[in-house]
């Protein structure tokens, strides 16, 4: 590609990555690309130290006391499946919402089909807001889990996880939070928020490469592993080791990716979550205000004055969202995502299940010029449709 791309698809995966992430990955491949935990030679030990470093940085970020309670995974979906499939038993009931990503919905629906688990979806309003009373009223004597996203990946709505956390804790129910859109951009304190399970991507707000993610598991919570196999520990036993993280990390890990993730988390810590948030907020407000002024644009989700993440989904009169995204890409060099964003439930709330929408998601490395480029392109396309 010979022209610079305006990348506004950070909700799918962040891009570009900080140079330190690429350097850490190259360093791993070049100098210590051995198998961590599976040998006592210097290279293997160094690889093992990088995994520990990543766990420590993540534990600090999410206020986790023991880094071994952080399980490294391939992505958020992998983490959500370890949590959901590892916890639920026949006869259990789960409370969730209608703004969930398919990465929560599909494992829950699979548990309904395979294990007879019952699932209640608490209905969100058009902007993705969930009524706390309805959520509490949905809890039953056999409810084992409340599973919620921290922020809708279509609407940008932020669910009040701190407030939600008090409900399951009082009722002896576990709380699973999907932080796919918030890890690295909103403060997350698993202790203060009463979070038992936190699933997060390494490749979005934490600036790591694709193929990385993680799951925090509360120390008193025992899950059945999703995968069984070699861990490099207790090899004489036919049983999966009980100790974390090995219990939930069978098979050779993505050491190269995790080296990048550790560098990404360090970058986030150096910049601070607050500064990242403020920058993304400012870009989001600029984008929403700019698009709001274009005739024929319908913005989804809460307004710019409400708490929200950097996700701006919209429709433009006269265009199918897929066509609009195609034109933005081909004629203006702007990368956005059209369609249903793996969250038909949230589209149903917003009334866009019939059409889908275009989603623009700014990230830390975007500039005001990127935002203005999108606003100008949408203005031009709006004028052409009239
Ligand atoms: C809210 C939400 N949950 C889960 C996922 C799945 O994340 P991953 O691609 O890391 O598995 C996404 C990805 O976009 C998401 O936005």
């Amino acid at each position: 590609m010979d022209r610079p791309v305006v990348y506004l698809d950070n909700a799918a995966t962040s891009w570009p990555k900080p140079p330190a992430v690429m350097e850490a990955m190259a360093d791993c491949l070049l100098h210590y690309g051995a198998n961590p935990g599976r040998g006592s030679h210097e290279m293997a030990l160094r690889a093992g130290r990088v995994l520990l470093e990543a766990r420590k940085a993540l534990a600090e970020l999410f206020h986790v006391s023991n880094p071994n309670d952080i399980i490294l995974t391939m992505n958020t979906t992998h983490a959500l499946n370890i949590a959901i499939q590892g916890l639920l038993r026949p006869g259990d009931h789960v409370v969730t919402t209608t703004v969930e990503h398919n990465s929560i919905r599909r494992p829950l629906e699979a548990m309904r089909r395979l294990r007879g688990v019952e699932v209640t979806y608490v209905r969100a309003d058009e902007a993705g807001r969930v009524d706390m009373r309805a959520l509490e009223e949905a809890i039953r004597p056999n409810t084992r889990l409340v599973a919620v996203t921290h922020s809708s990946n279509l609407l940008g709505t932020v669910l009040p996880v701190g407030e939600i956390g008090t409900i399951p804790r009082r009722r002896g129910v576990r709380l699973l939070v999907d932080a796919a859109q918030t890890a690295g951009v909103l403060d997350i304190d698993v202790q203060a928020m009463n979070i038992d399970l936190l699933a997060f991507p390494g490749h979005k707000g934490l600036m790591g490469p694709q193929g990385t993610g993680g799951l925090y598991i509360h120390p008193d919570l025992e899950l059945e592993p999703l995968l069984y196999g070699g861990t490099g520990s207790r090899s004489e036993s036919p049983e999966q080791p009980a100790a974390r993280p090995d219990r939930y990390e069978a098979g050779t890990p993505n050491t190269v990716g995790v080296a990048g993730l550790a560098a990404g988390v360090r970058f986030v810590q150096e910049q601070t979550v607050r500064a990242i948030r403020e920058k993304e907020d400012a870009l989001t407000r600029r984008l929403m205000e700019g698009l709001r002024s274009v005739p024929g644009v319908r913005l989804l989700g809460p307004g710019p004055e409400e708490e929200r993440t950097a996700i701006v989904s919209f429709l433009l009169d006269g265009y199918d969202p897929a066509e609009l995204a195609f034109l933005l890409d081909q004629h203006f060099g702007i990368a956005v995502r059209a369609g249903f964003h793996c969250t038909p439930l949230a589209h149903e709330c917003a009334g866009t299940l019939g059409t889908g929408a275009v989603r623009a998601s700014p990230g830390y490395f975007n500039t005001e010029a990127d935002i203005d480029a999108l606003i100008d392109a949408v203005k031009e396309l709006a004028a052409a449709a009239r």
Side-chain angles (χ1 to χ4, degrees), residues 124-270:
D125 72 8
E126 197 190 40
R129 301 180 205 94
V130 175
D131 177 31
M132 290 303 109
R133 237 197 12 223
L135 199 121
E136 176 146 25
E137 281 169 9
I139 293 180
R140 307 177 190 164
N142 64 333
T143 306
R144 185 181 292 270
L145 182 69
V146 170
V148 292
T149 187
H150 196 181
S151 173
S152 162
N153 66 307
L154 173 71
L155 305 169
T157 327
V158 175
L159 273 66
V161 165
E163 204 182 322
I164 292 173
T166 62
I167 304 171
R169 191 48 61 101
R170 264 190 277 124
R171 309 280 295 262
V173 173
R174 298 296 187 165
L175 174 64
L176 165 63
V177 173
D178 171 357
Q181 296 301 338
T182 55
V185 290
L186 289 189
D187 284 324
I188 299 177
D189 180 333
V190 295
Q191 301 185 42
M193 292 168 148
N194 292 313
I195 297 171
D196 294 295
L197 294 151
L198 180 78
F200 57 89
H203 63 101
K204 300 190 201 237
L206 298 179
M207 314 271 182
Q210 293 179 24
T212 62
L215 176 69
Y216 157 72
I217 308 176
H218 191 284
D220 78 4
L221 185 54
E222 191 49 46
L223 305 177
E224 193 59 32
L226 183 68
L227 292 178
Y228 301 90
T231 55
S233 56
R234 302 189 61 84
S235 293
E236 70 291 354
S237 169
E239 300 296 333
Q240 199 67 14
R244 297 179 186 185
D246 293 11
R247 183 162 181 74
Y248 306 107
E249 287 185 2
T252 299
N254 177 9
T255 311
V256 180
V258 174
L261 172 58
V265 177
R266 275 196 300 275
F267 177 85
V268 167
Q269 286 170 320
E270 279 157 22

Side-chain angles (χ1 to χ4, degrees), residues 324-361:
L324 183 55
F326 176 80
L327 293 170
L328 287 170
D329 179 43
Q330 294 298 310
H331 293 290
F332 300 91
I334 299 173
V336 294
R337 178 168 167 197
F340 295 96
H341 315 89
C342 303
T343 183
L345 289 173
H347 276 285
E348 210 177 310
C349 294
T352 48
L353 196 54
T355 55
V358 169
R359 180 183 74 184
S361 47

